[in-house]
Each structure stands twice: as C-alpha cells, then as structure tokens.
Amino acid sequence: MTAATVSEPAGLTGPDPVTARLTDTLAWIGDMVAGAEPVDDALRIDRIALAERLKAALDALQAVEIVDFARSQVAEQQRLDVDPARVGRGIADQVALACKVTPTEGSRRLHVARDLCLDMPTALGLLSAGEIGGWTARLVVGELSHLDRSSRRLVDAELGRVHLEQKSPRAAAATARRLVYIADPAGAVRRGRRARSDRRVTLRPAPDTMSILSGLLPVEQGVACLAALQTEAARLRAAGDDRGRGQIMADTLVERITGQARASDLPVEVQIVMPLACLLDPDDATPSDVADHGPVPPEIVREIIDRSRAGGFWRRLFTKPTARGDRVVVGIDERRRRFNAATADLIGARDRHCRDPFCTAPIRHCDHIVRFTDGGPTTSANGRGVCERGNYVRELPGWSIKLVDPDSHTVLTTTPTGHHYLSRPDEPP
C-alpha cells in the first residue's frame, strides 16, 4: 500500500468537548494496553465483552459523524455553485483518507452510514448500545440497501422483534434477507437479475507466495465450475495421479483458463522486479516484487523465472537511493511486448497502483501534479499514476496536489477541510 501520513486536524478554532473526550479515551486505552494490571479471568471476560460493545458504539458514533459531515459538505458545494451533477463527489474520499482506507471502502462506509442513520433507527440503536457488532450492522444494512426508504424503515422496525443481538453476523444477515424478500418480493427478483451484471474476477495476495483468484459468478455457473473441477480431480485420482484433490483442482483451473498444457507454464508476461544483487548473487536474500501481489522470496522468484523461460517474460527496472534511505524507480528497460509511452511506463513501474493515499486501485490515468493547463510539464517527475476516480476528485473545489520532495517523489494531498496527507511510491525490492 502507498505509504501515507496524516497531518494534525486543520481548522479547529477552539476546544471541542467530544474530540477532547475521545482523545483522552484513546490515550487511556493506550496506557491500559501498555501496562494492564493482572486480574482474574472472569473480569477479563467482562472487559473483553465491554470492549466489543465499545467498538460497536464507536461505529455508531462514526456513522453519525459521517452523515453530518456529508450534509455539511453538500451544502458547502452548493454554496460554491458546484455543478449539480458533481455535488457529493469527494465526500467519501475525505472519509476514506480520515479512516486510512481505500476510496471504495470510504464510499461503502458513507452509504452504510446514510442508510443506518436516516432510515434504520432500530439497527442504529442496537449498534450504539453495543448489542450488535459493527460487522453485523454492516451486513444487515447491505441486505436492505436496495429498498426504497419507506420499505427500509418498515423492515428495520421488524428487526427489533427478531432478536438480532442473539444472532451471529451471518444469521442476522439471513434474517434480514428473509424480511426483505417478504417486504419486496418483486424487488428481490430485480436485484438478483441486476447482480448478474456485476460478475467479475479479482486477485489478491495470500501468505507464503500464494494468491487468491476469486470469481463472482451467477450461482449456477459457480456450482457448475466447482462440479467440473471436482469431476476432473476424481477422474485423475482414480487414474493414479498422486496429487491431492485440491492440487488437481487448482492446476486444472489454471490450465483450462490459460489453455496451457501445464499449470506451471507461464504463457503471459509476469512483471517481476528484482534488485541487481539478487540477479548476480544466488545467496542474496533481498525479496523481489511481483506485480499485483507483493514481495516474494528470491529463491521462489528464481524458480518462477526458470520454469517460464520458454514462454514467460521479465523486465528490469532501475532505482536510485533517496535521502530517506529508500529507493524509487527512475528508469525502465523498454524491452516488453506492448509499447506504451515510455513516460507512462516509467510512472506505472514507479507507482504500481493509484498514488492517492491508502488507495490500491489499478492505475488508469497518468495525472499531472502541476496541471498541464497551469504549465506543468509532461514528465515522470510531474506525473503520478492514479485511478479514474482519484483523477476526477482532485478537480473539485478545495482539493490540491503538490510535489513536496522530488527526491522520493513524495506528494502532498490537501482536502477541502484543510487536512494534509502524504504519499510516496512503495519502495521496490
């Protein structure tokens, strides 16, 4: 994730009792964690339960603050004569920066907070009292998200009679789903059909050089895929294959998707960033970096390259040390299958994902830090890789982007509330 730091809150004109109380509580909890005194186990369980209720109550408080912040920001944007089609943009992004999460997660939190605070007083009351946890509340709100406001309020009232506080998060969500089906059966059908357009495949890193490839599929397609893999695993095991069922299913999945004869073959480009010392010294222990995954031990990387020499591909990147002691990509070997602009290649290799703080979305745009219309040059030093959303949000009133350390390519983002956030490229291996 892009390293980022948050400045002290800006714009406070005087002491705020709520902020002061929360700050004192945070400091007190920190002291407790650092030096908790020994007590009996029964008291420990009571504290664990109270801590869980406190987390839930803080989730409720945060939701209320998010909604009030959104209302205020919309009013401010309207006062500034922002295009009505753009009113509301940038609000979730500021929430995300404050919470140190991605903009997408910021949008989710904003939508959950709105539904919870505006239309679901029963669920909000259970959350603020610590009777249900934040994850349970989020799942329940998600089940009601597609309802119109009046239907949502009716279902929320029913939630008070089904004892959500006695249910697990999954059971609470299932209960809410049943109530939604009863309240709006036609809408449930429409939602199910619309959800099929959201089918997709995603990849995320897993421990120990593994990755998780996930497919969000219509139920019948997901069941058919699993059945086909299970059938093939059973066939090969019966024929004497000594691999485990899970190994056969995983290898078959790769082979059928890529069309290759063996799962270990790599017929497409896999970008591996290796330090020069690792290439020259077989005993060097510096980890390398695989695009869309992260650090990988050098021995594993060498095995990947050895297995893929026939059809795979790797490319070199050049780094320089900075005053902070880390390294930034400053050059790239242009040897690759598809040629884009060299500058865009360099920016992509340096940033690797969106440079907005805490955002890990793929790079979609090369953005000028100093706008081109303001005389900013089209160079790697004045460029940053961002997602589509990040590029559009910076154009809203009150947002600014500034390069504050060219050596490490540290970028300062300032939001409409005057808060400042730093981001710099992840250090390559």
Side-chain angles (χ1 to χ4, degrees), residues 86 89-90 93 103-104 353-356 359-367 384-396:
R86 301 169 66 192
R89 288 186 183 178
D93 301 78
T104 300
H353 52 68
C354 178
R355 279 292 302 280
D356 280 337
C359 184
T360 57
I363 293 174
R364 302 299 184 197
H365 294 177
C366 287
D367 181 37
R384 63 179 191 133
V386 292
C387 64
E388 188 173 358
R389 172 176 180 159
N391 196 15
Y392 294 147
V393 163
R394 72 161 295 186
E395 300 300 327
L396 294 172

Side-chain angles (χ1 to χ4, degrees), residues 320-369:
K320 71 170 184 179
T322 70
R324 297 176 64 251
D326 54 11
R327 289 170 294 123
V328 175
V329 172
V330 296
I332 186 170
D333 186 345
E334 296 184 13
R335 174 175 173 261
R336 59 176 300 168
R337 293 179 179 175
R338 297 179 181 176
F339 289 87
N340 298 317
T343 302
D345 278 349
L346 178 55
I347 291 173
R350 180 194 65 207
D351 295 344
R352 289 188 280 179
H353 52 68
C354 178
R355 279 292 302 280
D356 280 337
F358 314 112
C359 184
T360 57
I363 293 174
R364 302 299 184 197
H365 294 177
C366 287
D367 181 37
H368 287 73
I369 296 174

Side-chain angles (χ1 to χ4, degrees), residues 275-293:
L276 182 60
C278 184
L279 287 173
L280 300 178
D281 182 3
D283 296 323
D284 187 88
T286 307
S288 298
D289 192 89
V290 175
D292 298 323
H293 177 85

Side-chain angles (χ1 to χ4, degrees), residues 122-253:
T122 300
L124 180 62
L126 290 171
L127 183 64
S128 63
E131 296 296 328
I132 62 174
W135 181 239
T136 296
R138 181 163 175 166
L139 291 177
V140 170
V141 171
E143 296 293 341
L144 277 64
S145 62
H146 68 289
L147 296 176
D148 60 67
R149 299 191 66 180
S150 61
S151 297
R152 189 180 300 123
R153 289 169 180 166
L154 290 174
V155 173
D156 175 71
E158 290 294 322
L159 293 176
R161 292 187 278 273
V162 295
H163 303 292
L164 286 185
E165 70 279 1
Q166 300 176 10
K167 301 180 184 296
S168 68
R170 179 178 293 183
T175 298
R177 192 179 310 125
R178 282 193 294 271
L179 293 174
V180 167
Y181 288 166
I182 295 171
D184 185 18
V189 173
R190 288 195 302 271
R191 187 185 183 200
R193 288 172 176 165
R194 184 169 59 249
R196 291 171 176 255
S197 64
D198 294 331
R199 58 191 182 277
R200 59 186 178 272
V201 176
T202 57
L203 180 73
R204 63 184 187 275
D208 301 325
T209 73
M210 301 297 284
S211 61
I212 300 173
L213 179 68
S214 302
L216 182 63
L217 305 172
V219 59
E220 71 280 4
Q221 294 179 11
V223 170
C225 288
L226 182 62
L229 295 173
Q230 290 174 334
T231 299
E232 180 66 4
R235 184 186 71 81
L236 292 176
R237 289 280 290 175
D241 196 315
D242 60 359
R243 291 174 296 171
R245 289 176 56 86
Q247 292 174 325
I248 295 175
M249 291 171 65
D251 291 346
T252 302
L253 174 67

Side-chain angles (χ1 to χ4, degrees), residues 293-306:
H293 177 85
V296 176
E299 291 187 11
I300 300 295
V301 169
R302 293 187 187 101
E303 292 175 7
I304 293 173
I305 293 176
D306 288 340

Side-chain angles (χ1 to χ4, degrees), residues 368-387:
H368 287 73
I369 296 174
V370 178
R371 293 183 178 88
F372 181 77
T373 53
D374 295 332
T378 306
T379 61
S380 61
N382 190 48
R384 63 179 191 133
V386 292
C387 64

